């Protein structure tokens, strides 16, 4: 009996204690939910990145498609109405070149608004000095506040008639005569039997720049600009005489490399378009170098030139 009680006591001591059991199922579910949510967030982020990249790719494809469609349409217009298409193109690009020539110097170096601001500051400071009382006396009224004029970047002076003159010149004179020039230059090249390699662009560039076309086009530009500014024939002649040689030297530096590449790699029907695109820079240079003259200045310069000729 004593042995039975001893066995029972030892059995009770060695038995596993009945501690409260924690449910591991809920913890596993929460971990799975966290993993699922993190996986979902990563997938959404990756899908957003893919969608943004796909949108960028679609935008680039649409832009390239629109450009190709425009080029096809322009090629059709160039084949159907070559002169009129080049006239419209010349008007747009000559106007753009004059706009660049007017805006860029003011944006880069400041225009008349800066002088206005300086004059306003000086006038306001001088008025405040005038209102100062003599030494030893108190101020009866406070000095007027100093007001600043707009900065130079807020005001841009623009000459719309000047741009319209450039547009009219590109439309009515430069584009149609250039169309005739490039066809005539191609005819002369074929007629002279010049073919192959670098000989064709060298011949065309020499004929264009030194024989006839550069002299005609530059004289036409200065003459047309003077006529649209209201100058008479004598004043136009003296203007061309004064600036033609300097324009020619600038023309040779700027246009000979451009035209060598143009005559070498571009078909004849597109050579004028290359010139018109490059003329944005050339027109800006011409407009900056030879701005519109005032009538008083032109009249005085023409009278001075005529007096010099009579004295000689």
């Amino acid at each position: 009996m004593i042995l039975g009680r001893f066995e029972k006591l030892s059995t009770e001591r060695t038995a596993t204690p009945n501690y409260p059991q924690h449910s591991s199922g809920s913890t596993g579910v929460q971990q799975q939910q966290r993993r699922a949510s993190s996986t979902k967030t990563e997938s959404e982020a990756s899908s957003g990145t893919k969608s943004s990249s796909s949108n960028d790719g679609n935008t680039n494809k649409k832009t390239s498609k629109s450009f190709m469609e425009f080029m096809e349409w322009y090629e059709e217009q160039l084949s159907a109405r070559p002169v009129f298409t080049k006239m419209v193109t010349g008007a747009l690009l000559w106007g753009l070149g004059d706009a660049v020539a007017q805006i860029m110097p003011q944006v880069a170096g400041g225009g008349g608004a800066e002088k206005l601001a300086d004059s306003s500051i000086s006038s306001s400071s001088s008025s405040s000095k005038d209102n100062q009382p003599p030494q030893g006396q108190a101020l009866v009224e406070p000095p007027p506040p100093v007001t600043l004029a707009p900065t130079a970047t807020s005001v841009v002076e623009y000459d719309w008639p000047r741009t319209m003159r450039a547009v009219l010149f590109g439309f009515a004179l430069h584009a149609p005569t250039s169309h005739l020039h490039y066809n005539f230059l191609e005819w002369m090249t074929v007629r002279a039997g010049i073919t192959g390699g670098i000989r064709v662009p060298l011949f065309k560039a020499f004929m264009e720049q030194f024989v006839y076309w550069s002299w005609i086009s530059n004289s036409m530009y200065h003459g047309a600009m003077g006529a649209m500014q209201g100058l008479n024939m004598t004043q136009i002649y003296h203007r061309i005489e004064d600036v033609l040689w300097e324009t020619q030297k600038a023309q040779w530096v700027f246009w000979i490399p451009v035209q060598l590449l143009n005559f070498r790699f571009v078909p004849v029907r597109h050579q004028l378009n290359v010139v018109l695109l490059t003329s944005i820079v050339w027109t800006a240079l011409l407009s900056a170098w030879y701005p519109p003259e005032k009538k008083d200045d032109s009249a005085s310069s023409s009278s001075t030139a005529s007096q010099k000729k009579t004295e000689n």
Side-chain angles (χ1 to χ4, degrees), residues 48-85:
T49 306
K50 290 180 180 179
S51 62
S52 61
S53 61
S54 62
N55 291 332
D56 294 339
N58 293 331
T59 303
N60 294 332
K61 288 180 180 179
K62 289 180 180 179
T63 304
S64 60
K65 183 178 180 182
S66 301
F67 178 75
M68 293 302 297
E69 290 177 353
F70 172 77
M71 291 303 298
E72 290 177 359
W73 173 83
Y74 186 83
E75 188 71 24
E76 293 176 359
Q77 299 299 318
L78 195 62
S79 300
R81 293 176 289 273
V83 178
F84 182 76
T85 303

mmCIF file of all heavy atoms in Angstrom, residues 48-85:
data_model
loop_
_atom_site.group_PDB
_atom_site.id
_atom_site.type_symbol
_atom_site.label_atom_id
_atom_site.label_comp_id
_atom_site.label_asym_id
_atom_site.label_seq_id
_atom_site.Cartn_x
_atom_site.Cartn_y
_atom_site.Cartn_z
ATOM 1 N N GLY A 48 2.955 49.995 -61.212
ATOM 2 C CA GLY A 48 2.942 51.434 -61.477
ATOM 3 C C GLY A 48 4.150 51.865 -62.278
ATOM 4 O O GLY A 48 4.044 52.697 -63.191
ATOM 5 N N THR A 49 5.316 51.322 -61.953
ATOM 6 C CA THR A 49 6.521 51.648 -62.717
ATOM 7 C C THR A 49 6.400 51.190 -64.158
ATOM 8 O O THR A 49 6.758 51.904 -65.103
ATOM 9 C CB THR A 49 7.741 50.995 -62.059
ATOM 10 O OG1 THR A 49 7.796 51.387 -60.689
ATOM 11 C CG2 THR A 49 9.021 51.412 -62.771
ATOM 12 N N LYS A 50 5.870 49.968 -64.322
ATOM 13 C CA LYS A 50 5.700 49.454 -65.681
ATOM 14 C C LYS A 50 4.698 50.292 -66.457
ATOM 15 O O LYS A 50 4.877 50.576 -67.645
ATOM 16 C CB LYS A 50 5.240 48.001 -65.620
ATOM 17 C CG LYS A 50 6.299 47.034 -65.124
ATOM 18 C CD LYS A 50 5.773 45.618 -65.097
ATOM 19 C CE LYS A 50 6.830 44.627 -64.587
ATOM 20 N NZ LYS A 50 6.301 43.248 -64.539
ATOM 21 N N SER A 51 3.598 50.715 -65.775
ATOM 22 C CA SER A 51 2.588 51.503 -66.484
ATOM 23 C C SER A 51 3.132 52.870 -66.872
ATOM 24 O O SER A 51 2.858 53.377 -67.965
ATOM 25 C CB SER A 51 1.351 51.669 -65.595
ATOM 26 O OG SER A 51 1.689 52.377 -64.404
ATOM 27 N N SER A 52 3.946 53.514 -65.968
ATOM 28 C CA SER A 52 4.524 54.818 -66.313
ATOM 29 C C SER A 52 5.503 54.696 -67.468
ATOM 30 O O SER A 52 5.521 55.530 -68.380
ATOM 31 C CB SER A 52 5.229 55.412 -65.091
ATOM 32 O OG SER A 52 6.292 54.564 -64.671
ATOM 33 N N SER A 53 6.331 53.645 -67.448
ATOM 34 C CA SER A 53 7.264 53.451 -68.557
ATOM 35 C C SER A 53 6.531 53.151 -69.849
ATOM 36 O O SER A 53 6.911 53.622 -70.924
ATOM 37 C CB SER A 53 8.244 52.324 -68.226
ATOM 38 O OG SER A 53 7.536 51.104 -68.021
ATOM 39 N N SER A 54 5.436 52.389 -69.739
ATOM 40 C CA SER A 54 4.658 52.098 -70.945
ATOM 41 C C SER A 54 3.975 53.354 -71.460
ATOM 42 O O SER A 54 3.877 53.567 -72.679
ATOM 43 C CB SER A 54 3.618 51.014 -70.642
ATOM 44 O OG SER A 54 2.693 51.455 -69.658
ATOM 45 N N ASN A 55 3.510 54.233 -70.536
ATOM 46 C CA ASN A 55 2.917 55.492 -70.974
ATOM 47 C C ASN A 55 3.932 56.372 -71.673
ATOM 48 O O ASN A 55 3.626 56.999 -72.701
ATOM 49 C CB ASN A 55 2.323 56.227 -69.766
ATOM 50 C CG ASN A 55 1.097 55.520 -69.204
ATOM 51 O OD1 ASN A 55 0.379 54.822 -69.946
ATOM 52 N ND2 ASN A 55 0.839 55.690 -67.915
ATOM 53 N N ASP A 56 5.166 56.435 -71.134
ATOM 54 C CA ASP A 56 6.218 57.198 -71.797
ATOM 55 C C ASP A 56 6.526 56.629 -73.180
ATOM 56 O O ASP A 56 6.714 57.379 -74.144
ATOM 57 C CB ASP A 56 7.485 57.195 -70.942
ATOM 58 C CG ASP A 56 7.285 57.938 -69.630
ATOM 59 O OD1 ASP A 56 6.352 58.761 -69.569
ATOM 60 O OD2 ASP A 56 8.032 57.662 -68.675
ATOM 61 N N GLY A 57 6.578 55.311 -73.249
ATOM 62 C CA GLY A 57 6.822 54.690 -74.554
ATOM 63 C C GLY A 57 5.709 54.972 -75.540
ATOM 64 O O GLY A 57 5.954 55.245 -76.726
ATOM 65 N N ASN A 58 4.459 54.949 -75.059
ATOM 66 C CA ASN A 58 3.329 55.257 -75.947
ATOM 67 C C ASN A 58 3.365 56.709 -76.401
ATOM 68 O O ASN A 58 3.055 57.012 -77.564
ATOM 69 C CB ASN A 58 2.011 54.963 -75.220
ATOM 70 C CG ASN A 58 1.820 53.470 -74.958
ATOM 71 O OD1 ASN A 58 2.319 52.635 -75.715
ATOM 72 N ND2 ASN A 58 1.107 53.138 -73.885
ATOM 73 N N THR A 59 3.749 57.625 -75.488
ATOM 74 C CA THR A 59 3.838 59.032 -75.866
ATOM 75 C C THR A 59 4.910 59.250 -76.926
ATOM 76 O O THR A 59 4.699 59.990 -77.899
ATOM 77 C CB THR A 59 4.158 59.881 -74.626
ATOM 78 O OG1 THR A 59 3.151 59.647 -73.624
ATOM 79 C CG2 THR A 59 4.182 61.361 -74.972
ATOM 80 N N ASN A 60 6.071 58.594 -76.743
ATOM 81 C CA ASN A 60 7.131 58.729 -77.744
ATOM 82 C C ASN A 60 6.712 58.147 -79.084
ATOM 83 O O ASN A 60 7.011 58.716 -80.147
ATOM 84 C CB ASN A 60 8.394 58.025 -77.245
ATOM 85 C CG ASN A 60 8.979 58.695 -76.019
ATOM 86 O OD1 ASN A 60 8.813 59.899 -75.833
ATOM 87 N ND2 ASN A 60 9.645 57.930 -75.164
ATOM 88 N N LYS A 61 5.995 57.033 -79.045
ATOM 89 C CA LYS A 61 5.525 56.436 -80.297
ATOM 90 C C LYS A 61 4.530 57.343 -81.000
ATOM 91 O O LYS A 61 4.562 57.511 -82.220
ATOM 92 C CB LYS A 61 4.889 55.074 -80.008
ATOM 93 C CG LYS A 61 5.892 53.989 -79.626
ATOM 94 C CD LYS A 61 5.184 52.667 -79.361
ATOM 95 C CE LYS A 61 6.185 51.575 -78.968
ATOM 96 N NZ LYS A 61 5.515 50.292 -78.682
ATOM 97 N N LYS A 62 3.617 57.959 -80.211
ATOM 98 C CA LYS A 62 2.647 58.866 -80.807
ATOM 99 C C LYS A 62 3.321 60.094 -81.401
ATOM 100 O O LYS A 62 2.952 60.563 -82.478
ATOM 101 C CB LYS A 62 1.624 59.285 -79.751
ATOM 102 C CG LYS A 62 0.669 58.178 -79.334
ATOM 103 C CD LYS A 62 -0.318 58.681 -78.285
ATOM 104 C CE LYS A 62 -1.277 57.561 -77.860
ATOM 105 N NZ LYS A 62 -2.231 58.038 -76.813
ATOM 106 N N THR A 63 4.341 60.618 -80.688
ATOM 107 C CA THR A 63 5.052 61.787 -81.206
ATOM 108 C C THR A 63 5.783 61.469 -82.498
ATOM 109 O O THR A 63 5.718 62.233 -83.468
ATOM 110 C CB THR A 63 6.056 62.286 -80.146
ATOM 111 O OG1 THR A 63 5.357 62.563 -78.924
ATOM 112 C CG2 THR A 63 6.756 63.546 -80.621
ATOM 113 N N SER A 64 6.478 60.342 -82.519
ATOM 114 C CA SER A 64 7.194 59.959 -83.738
ATOM 115 C C SER A 64 6.228 59.674 -84.883
ATOM 116 O O SER A 64 6.490 60.033 -86.031
ATOM 117 C CB SER A 64 8.071 58.736 -83.463
ATOM 118 O OG SER A 64 7.277 57.631 -83.042
ATOM 119 N N LYS A 65 5.076 59.078 -84.547
ATOM 120 C CA LYS A 65 4.081 58.801 -85.579
ATOM 121 C C LYS A 65 3.521 60.090 -86.135
ATOM 122 O O LYS A 65 3.345 60.238 -87.358
ATOM 123 C CB LYS A 65 2.972 57.925 -85.006
ATOM 124 C CG LYS A 65 1.926 57.526 -86.033
ATOM 125 C CD LYS A 65 0.873 56.618 -85.406
ATOM 126 C CE LYS A 65 -0.174 56.223 -86.447
ATOM 127 N NZ LYS A 65 -1.233 55.368 -85.845
ATOM 128 N N SER A 66 3.243 61.069 -85.262
ATOM 129 C CA SER A 66 2.723 62.355 -85.728
ATOM 130 C C SER A 66 3.748 63.075 -86.590
ATOM 131 O O SER A 66 3.398 63.695 -87.605
ATOM 132 C CB SER A 66 2.337 63.227 -84.525
ATOM 133 O OG SER A 66 1.357 62.593 -83.728
ATOM 134 N N PHE A 67 5.017 62.996 -86.195
ATOM 135 C CA PHE A 67 6.064 63.644 -86.984
ATOM 136 C C PHE A 67 6.188 63.004 -88.359
ATOM 137 O O PHE A 67 6.331 63.703 -89.374
ATOM 138 C CB PHE A 67 7.390 63.565 -86.234
ATOM 139 C CG PHE A 67 8.544 64.165 -86.977
ATOM 140 C CD1 PHE A 67 8.679 65.535 -87.077
ATOM 141 C CD2 PHE A 67 9.491 63.356 -87.597
ATOM 142 C CE1 PHE A 67 9.741 66.107 -87.760
ATOM 143 C CE2 PHE A 67 10.548 63.908 -88.284
ATOM 144 C CZ PHE A 67 10.678 65.287 -88.364
ATOM 145 N N MET A 68 6.125 61.673 -88.408
ATOM 146 C CA MET A 68 6.214 60.991 -89.694
ATOM 147 C C MET A 68 5.013 61.318 -90.576
ATOM 148 O O MET A 68 5.153 61.506 -91.791
ATOM 149 C CB MET A 68 6.319 59.476 -89.463
ATOM 150 C CG MET A 68 7.616 59.042 -88.783
ATOM 151 S SD MET A 68 9.100 59.544 -89.700
ATOM 152 C CE MET A 68 8.863 58.603 -91.215
ATOM 153 N N GLU A 69 3.833 61.407 -89.966
ATOM 154 C CA GLU A 69 2.652 61.783 -90.738
ATOM 155 C C GLU A 69 2.770 63.208 -91.273
ATOM 156 O O GLU A 69 2.390 63.490 -92.416
ATOM 157 C CB GLU A 69 1.402 61.644 -89.870
ATOM 158 C CG GLU A 69 1.039 60.201 -89.548
ATOM 159 C CD GLU A 69 -0.165 60.120 -88.625
ATOM 160 O OE1 GLU A 69 -0.611 61.197 -88.139
ATOM 161 O OE2 GLU A 69 -0.650 59.004 -88.376
ATOM 162 N N PHE A 70 3.306 64.109 -90.450
ATOM 163 C CA PHE A 70 3.500 65.481 -90.925
ATOM 164 C C PHE A 70 4.507 65.534 -92.066
ATOM 165 O O PHE A 70 4.314 66.272 -93.043
ATOM 166 C CB PHE A 70 3.972 66.365 -89.765
ATOM 167 C CG PHE A 70 4.388 67.740 -90.197
ATOM 168 C CD1 PHE A 70 3.438 68.703 -90.504
ATOM 169 C CD2 PHE A 70 5.736 68.070 -90.306
ATOM 170 C CE1 PHE A 70 3.816 69.975 -90.910
ATOM 171 C CE2 PHE A 70 6.122 69.334 -90.708
ATOM 172 C CZ PHE A 70 5.160 70.300 -91.013
ATOM 173 N N MET A 71 5.589 64.772 -91.957
ATOM 174 C CA MET A 71 6.587 64.770 -93.014
ATOM 175 C C MET A 71 6.020 64.197 -94.305
ATOM 176 O O MET A 71 6.327 64.687 -95.401
ATOM 177 C CB MET A 71 7.815 63.979 -92.572
ATOM 178 C CG MET A 71 8.615 64.653 -91.456
ATOM 179 S SD MET A 71 9.169 66.317 -91.879
ATOM 180 C CE MET A 71 10.218 65.991 -93.287
ATOM 181 N N GLU A 72 5.197 63.161 -94.192
ATOM 182 C CA GLU A 72 4.564 62.615 -95.386
ATOM 183 C C GLU A 72 3.624 63.636 -96.025
ATOM 184 O O GLU A 72 3.603 63.796 -97.247
ATOM 185 C CB GLU A 72 3.792 61.349 -95.018
ATOM 186 C CG GLU A 72 4.684 60.170 -94.645
ATOM 187 C CD GLU A 72 3.883 58.960 -94.226
ATOM 188 O OE1 GLU A 72 2.629 59.066 -94.226
ATOM 189 O OE2 GLU A 72 4.488 57.914 -93.906
ATOM 190 N N TRP A 73 2.853 64.337 -95.179
ATOM 191 C CA TRP A 73 1.953 65.371 -95.705
ATOM 192 C C TRP A 73 2.751 66.504 -96.350
ATOM 193 O O TRP A 73 2.394 67.005 -97.420
ATOM 194 C CB TRP A 73 1.090 65.913 -94.571
ATOM 195 C CG TRP A 73 0.254 67.084 -94.969
ATOM 196 C CD1 TRP A 73 -0.956 67.055 -95.604
ATOM 197 C CD2 TRP A 73 0.581 68.468 -94.780
ATOM 198 N NE1 TRP A 73 -1.403 68.333 -95.817
ATOM 199 C CE2 TRP A 73 -0.478 69.223 -95.323
ATOM 200 C CE3 TRP A 73 1.656 69.133 -94.203
ATOM 201 C CZ2 TRP A 73 -0.500 70.608 -95.297
ATOM 202 C CZ3 TRP A 73 1.649 70.525 -94.189
ATOM 203 C CH2 TRP A 73 0.581 71.241 -94.721
ATOM 204 N N TYR A 74 3.856 66.927 -95.701
ATOM 205 C CA TYR A 74 4.669 68.002 -96.257
ATOM 206 C C TYR A 74 5.312 67.574 -97.574
ATOM 207 O O TYR A 74 5.437 68.373 -98.510
ATOM 208 C CB TYR A 74 5.740 68.414 -95.253
ATOM 209 C CG TYR A 74 6.537 69.622 -95.679
ATOM 210 C CD1 TYR A 74 6.044 70.904 -95.465
ATOM 211 C CD2 TYR A 74 7.779 69.480 -96.303
ATOM 212 C CE1 TYR A 74 6.764 72.018 -95.859
ATOM 213 C CE2 TYR A 74 8.503 70.581 -96.703
ATOM 214 C CZ TYR A 74 7.990 71.850 -96.469
ATOM 215 O OH TYR A 74 8.701 72.948 -96.877
ATOM 216 N N GLU A 75 5.725 66.334 -97.659
ATOM 217 C CA GLU A 75 6.315 65.832 -98.906
ATOM 218 C C GLU A 75 5.286 65.844 -100.033
ATOM 219 O O GLU A 75 5.609 66.175 -101.189
ATOM 220 C CB GLU A 75 6.850 64.414 -98.687
ATOM 221 C CG GLU A 75 7.650 63.853 -99.841
ATOM 222 C CD GLU A 75 8.993 64.518 -100.001
ATOM 223 O OE1 GLU A 75 9.506 65.063 -99.004
ATOM 224 O OE2 GLU A 75 9.535 64.503 -101.121
ATOM 225 N N GLU A 76 4.051 65.488 -99.704
ATOM 226 C CA GLU A 76 2.983 65.549 -100.706
ATOM 227 C C GLU A 76 2.752 66.982 -101.177
ATOM 228 O O GLU A 76 2.592 67.242 -102.379
ATOM 229 C CB GLU A 76 1.701 64.966 -100.124
ATOM 230 C CG GLU A 76 1.762 63.463 -99.852
ATOM 231 C CD GLU A 76 0.505 62.957 -99.188
ATOM 232 O OE1 GLU A 76 -0.392 63.803 -98.924
ATOM 233 O OE2 GLU A 76 0.399 61.740 -98.935
ATOM 234 N N GLN A 77 2.710 67.918 -100.226
ATOM 235 C CA GLN A 77 2.524 69.318 -100.603
ATOM 236 C C GLN A 77 3.701 69.837 -101.415
ATOM 237 O O GLN A 77 3.527 70.626 -102.356
ATOM 238 C CB GLN A 77 2.346 70.174 -99.337
ATOM 239 C CG GLN A 77 1.153 69.808 -98.492
ATOM 240 C CD GLN A 77 -0.154 69.955 -99.243
ATOM 241 O OE1 GLN A 77 -0.367 70.926 -99.974
ATOM 242 N NE2 GLN A 77 -1.035 68.984 -99.074
ATOM 243 N N LEU A 78 4.891 69.388 -101.071
ATOM 244 C CA LEU A 78 6.079 69.832 -101.800
ATOM 245 C C LEU A 78 6.088 69.303 -103.232
ATOM 246 O O LEU A 78 6.582 69.972 -104.147
ATOM 247 C CB LEU A 78 7.328 69.370 -101.055
ATOM 248 C CG LEU A 78 8.663 70.007 -101.443
ATOM 249 C CD1 LEU A 78 8.632 71.500 -101.186
ATOM 250 C CD2 LEU A 78 9.800 69.363 -100.658
ATOM 251 N N SER A 79 5.544 68.117 -103.418
ATOM 252 C CA SER A 79 5.472 67.568 -104.765
ATOM 253 C C SER A 79 4.338 68.200 -105.575
ATOM 254 O O SER A 79 4.495 68.440 -106.773
ATOM 255 C CB SER A 79 5.272 66.047 -104.692
ATOM 256 O OG SER A 79 6.353 65.430 -104.006
ATOM 257 N N ALA A 80 3.213 68.460 -104.930
ATOM 258 C CA ALA A 80 2.061 69.011 -105.641
ATOM 259 C C ALA A 80 2.205 70.511 -105.903
ATOM 260 O O ALA A 80 1.939 70.992 -107.002
ATOM 261 C CB ALA A 80 0.778 68.742 -104.846
ATOM 262 N N ARG A 81 2.632 71.281 -104.884
ATOM 263 C CA ARG A 81 2.760 72.736 -105.002
ATOM 264 C C ARG A 81 4.121 73.160 -104.447
ATOM 265 O O ARG A 81 4.200 73.677 -103.324
ATOM 266 C CB ARG A 81 1.631 73.430 -104.236
ATOM 267 C CG ARG A 81 0.252 73.195 -104.847
ATOM 268 C CD ARG A 81 -0.842 73.822 -104.004
ATOM 269 N NE ARG A 81 -1.014 73.071 -102.765
ATOM 270 C CZ ARG A 81 -1.810 71.999 -102.651
ATOM 271 N NH1 ARG A 81 -2.480 71.569 -103.704
ATOM 272 N NH2 ARG A 81 -1.929 71.374 -101.495
ATOM 273 N N PRO A 82 5.193 72.941 -105.171
ATOM 274 C CA PRO A 82 6.529 73.178 -104.598
ATOM 275 C C PRO A 82 6.798 74.642 -104.276
ATOM 276 O O PRO A 82 7.344 74.953 -103.218
ATOM 277 C CB PRO A 82 7.478 72.647 -105.676
ATOM 278 C CG PRO A 82 6.689 72.672 -106.936
ATOM 279 C CD PRO A 82 5.276 72.409 -106.543
ATOM 280 N N VAL A 83 6.422 75.548 -105.179
ATOM 281 C CA VAL A 83 6.754 76.956 -104.961
ATOM 282 C C VAL A 83 5.957 77.525 -103.793
ATOM 283 O O VAL A 83 6.508 78.180 -102.893
ATOM 284 C CB VAL A 83 6.503 77.764 -106.247
ATOM 285 C CG1 VAL A 83 6.804 79.244 -106.023
ATOM 286 C CG2 VAL A 83 7.365 77.234 -107.393
ATOM 287 N N PHE A 84 4.659 77.279 -103.775
ATOM 288 C CA PHE A 84 3.822 77.826 -102.702
ATOM 289 C C PHE A 84 4.198 77.229 -101.343
ATOM 290 O O PHE A 84 4.204 77.941 -100.326
ATOM 291 C CB PHE A 84 2.348 77.555 -103.004
ATOM 292 C CG PHE A 84 1.422 78.123 -101.973
ATOM 293 C CD1 PHE A 84 1.160 79.482 -101.932
ATOM 294 C CD2 PHE A 84 0.811 77.301 -101.041
ATOM 295 C CE1 PHE A 84 0.316 80.022 -100.970
ATOM 296 C CE2 PHE A 84 -0.042 77.828 -100.073
ATOM 297 C CZ PHE A 84 -0.290 79.187 -100.045
ATOM 298 N N THR A 85 4.506 75.949 -101.316
ATOM 299 C CA THR A 85 4.919 75.322 -100.051
ATOM 300 C C THR A 85 6.196 75.943 -99.530
ATOM 301 O O THR A 85 6.332 76.218 -98.321
ATOM 302 C CB THR A 85 5.114 73.812 -100.254
ATOM 303 O OG1 THR A 85 3.900 73.246 -100.764
ATOM 304 C CG2 THR A 85 5.466 73.131 -98.945
#
